[in-house]
């Protein structure tokens, strides 16, 4: 079984999820794990990929400088004509999500996206999220010569080095119908919650925009910044770039302090790897206590002013 991982890179950086794809490829391969990287001046990434792949294929051409699904699929199909894939792995990113269905159609292959588990012991079975992450499902894909799977980021982080070889080949795409024009960077907010060591995170229980001040006071005393759960952002109490969770940002601070956050799955996915998690919630059954290292069952409007007072005293 030849398992191919299509590496993603953008603006001169290799997306680390490319290595995660290879970790999965190594776990399920029967023959080889192979990385394919397309682009202009991408040979530099090959050595890093080769640590985790039996073979790395480098396809360089000026016309592949910017990702264009049409040109990438064109070149990949030329490549696969001589290297039949059993499984093609892509990251479940905007890059992979655009490529996966196009490739699947060309290869006449079953396709599954947002995959978090793959079992090849009896055909190809996948576990994936559906209904925007609310439910998980196990699927058996119909028997086929090739399969295309888009893999969720952050799931296959563990793997060992393989130490493979690198081969460069030359392939050219035909003229695409659409052309890359420019990158437009999103406006960066003044606070980057992904870089903060201490996050005081407010949930819906903060009740009103005017109460955010309380969290800000605590964050300032701790030397941290304020983030929020989705309802807080949806209510306009904090800007969008402060949202933690699957539709917000993934954070890994030294301290995550949750104030009236229930700990819904979609939120926890974005903060569960924080080094220290402390939660304050008046409901002892709140799921956040399931991931917290320490918890206080109490009303934030009583506990937080007390914390602020004690910290202020400590700071003199
Ligand atoms: C597709 C999809 C994507 C989503 N993406 C995200 C995401 O990225 N991030 C995210 O956060 N959510 C996301 N959600 C929403 C998520 O499902 C939850 O609804 C949300 O996380 C709940 O936010 P919360 O904990 O602030 O509010 P709630 O679930 O309403 O919880 C409020 C908590 O505050 C406690 N509380 C109330 N008052 C007090 C008080 N005075 N003192 C102490 N505790 C109090 C309550 O006991 C309760 O546990 C998403 C949902 C979907 C469907």
């Amino acid at each position: 079984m030849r398992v191919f991982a299509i590496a993603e890179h953008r603006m001169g950086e290799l997306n680390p999820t490319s290595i995660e794809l290879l970790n999965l490829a190594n776990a399920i391969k029967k023959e080889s794990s192979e990385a394919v990287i397309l682009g202009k001046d991408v040979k530099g990434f090959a050595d890093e990929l080769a640590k985790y792949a039996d073979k790395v294929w480098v396809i360089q051409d000026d016309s592949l400088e910017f990702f264009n699904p049409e040109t990438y699929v064109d070149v990949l199909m030329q490549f696969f004509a001589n290297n039949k894939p059993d499984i093609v792995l892509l990251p479940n990113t905007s890059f992979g999500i655009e490529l996966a269905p196009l490739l699947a159609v060309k290869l006449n292959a079953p396709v599954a996206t947002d995959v978090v588990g793959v079992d090849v012991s009896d055909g190809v079975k996948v576990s994936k999220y559906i209904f925007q992450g609310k439910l998980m499902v196990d699927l058996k894909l119909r028997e086929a010569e090739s399969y295309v799977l888009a893999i969720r980021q952050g799931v296959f982080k563990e793997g060992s080095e393989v130490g493979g070889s690198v081969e460069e080949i030359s392939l050219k795409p035909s003229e695409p119908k659409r052309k890359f024009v420019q990158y437009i960077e999103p406006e960066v907010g003044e606070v980057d919650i992904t870089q903060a060591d201490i996050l005081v995170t407010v949930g819906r229980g903060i009740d009103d925009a005017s109460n955010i001040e309380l969290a800000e006071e605590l964050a300032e005393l701790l030397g941290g910044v304020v983030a929020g759960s989705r309802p807080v952002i949806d209510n306009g109490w904090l800007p969008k770039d402060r949202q933690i969770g699957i539709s917000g940002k993934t954070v890994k601070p030294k301290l995550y302090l949750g104030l009236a956050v229930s700990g819904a799955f979609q939120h926890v996915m974005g903060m569960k790897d924080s080094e220290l998690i402390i939660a304050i919630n008046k409901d002892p059954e709140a799921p956040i206590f399931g991931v917290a290292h320490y918890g206080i069952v109490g009303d934030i409007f009583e506990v937080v002013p007390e914390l602020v007072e004690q910290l202020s005293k400590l700071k003199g």
Side-chain angles (χ1 to χ4, degrees):
M1 180 181 278
R2 290 178 77 179
V3 184
F4 288 86
I6 312 303
E8 175 175 351
H9 62 92
R10 224 180 269 247
M11 299 173 88
E13 283 188 32
L14 182 68
N15 185 336
T17 200
S18 310
I19 307 295
E20 295 171 18
L21 298 182
L22 289 168
N23 289 337
L24 171 61
N26 288 323
I28 61 174
K29 72 180 180 189
K30 289 191 179 117
E31 200 177 321
S32 58
S33 63
E34 303 179 46
V36 186
I37 184 148
L38 293 81
K40 183 188 173 196
D41 303 327
V42 289
K43 203 152 179 228
F45 299 133
D47 290 342
E48 178 63 10
L49 291 166
K51 283 189 202 159
Y52 304 92
D54 294 311
K55 177 108 192 191
V56 179
W57 299 91
V58 180
I59 307 173
Q60 299 198 105
D61 192 80
D62 285 358
S63 61
L64 298 171
E65 179 171 9
F66 301 107
F67 170 58
N68 181 335
E70 270 180 72
T71 51
Y72 272 47
V73 167
D74 184 342
V75 166
L76 282 170
M77 288 308 294
Q78 293 178 45
F79 171 74
F80 287 143
N82 298 316
N83 297 278
K84 196 183 93 48
D86 292 296
I87 297 185
V88 182
L89 302 177
L90 293 146
N92 199 65
T93 56
S94 52
F95 165 86
I97 293 279
E98 258 195 294
L99 273 183
L102 289 173
L103 261 184
V105 168
K106 298 270 184 194
L107 289 167
N108 189 25
V111 59
T113 54
D114 211 4
V115 170
V116 293
V118 180
D119 176 357
V120 292
S121 55
D122 171 26
V124 175
K125 288 189 210 140
V126 298
S127 303
K128 60 165 281 164
Y129 286 106
I130 56 170
F131 299 130
Q132 295 180 310
K134 284 201 164 159
L135 205 63
M136 196 188 264
V137 67
D138 287 341
L139 298 173
K140 181 158 187 189
L141 304 181
R142 75 164 161 82
E143 222 167 280
E145 292 198 351
S146 305
Y147 299 85
V148 176
L149 308 177
I151 310 297
R152 180 180 277 222
Q153 283 175 278
V155 180
F156 297 97
K157 283 191 167 162
E158 307 299 323
S160 32
E161 296 196 6
V162 175
S165 57
V166 177
E167 185 169 336
E168 193 173 343
I169 51 171
S170 176
L171 294 170
K172 271 196 179 296
S174 47
E175 192 64 20
K177 292 187 203 74
R178 71 180 191 187
K179 284 200 172 139
F180 172 88
V181 178
Q182 61 168 325
Y183 284 121
I184 303 168
E185 296 264 8
E187 269 179 44
V188 182
E190 68 210 270
V191 171
D192 182 357
I193 59 168
T194 63
Q195 299 303 316
D197 279 342
I198 296 176
L199 285 177
V200 174
T201 306
V202 290
R204 201 198 314 256
I206 197 80
D207 240 11
D208 191 77
S210 58
N211 295 328
I212 299 279
E213 215 177 292
L214 188 61
E216 267 163 1
E217 210 179 333
L218 181 58
E220 202 182 320
L221 282 162
L222 291 168
V225 295
V226 176
S229 65
R230 180 156 151 180
V232 170
I233 308 314
D234 289 350
N235 281 324
W237 300 339
L238 281 174
K240 172 77 184 150
D241 60 4
R242 305 279 186 109
Q243 184 183 325
I244 296 175
I246 56 166
S247 50
K249 298 203 169 146
T250 301
V251 296
K252 206 179 161 189
K254 292 201 167 95
L255 168 64
Y256 167 102
L257 177 56
L259 311 181
V261 175
S262 64
F265 157 79
Q266 293 90 348
H267 184 81
V268 169
M269 287 296 282
M271 49 64 76
K272 63 179 174 20
D273 293 325
S274 305
E275 281 178 39
L276 180 66
I277 302 172
I278 302 177
I280 308 173
N281 195 305
K282 64 182 179 186
D283 175 7
E285 303 294 326
I288 192 80
F289 290 129
V291 287
H293 300 101
Y294 297 97
I296 300 172
V297 178
D299 189 320
I300 54 164
F301 298 111
E302 289 168 15
V303 179
V304 176
E306 182 66 28
L307 277 175
V308 166
E309 197 185 320
Q310 296 294 334
L311 281 166
S312 307
K313 271 192 206 155
L314 272 176
K315 293 209 150 186

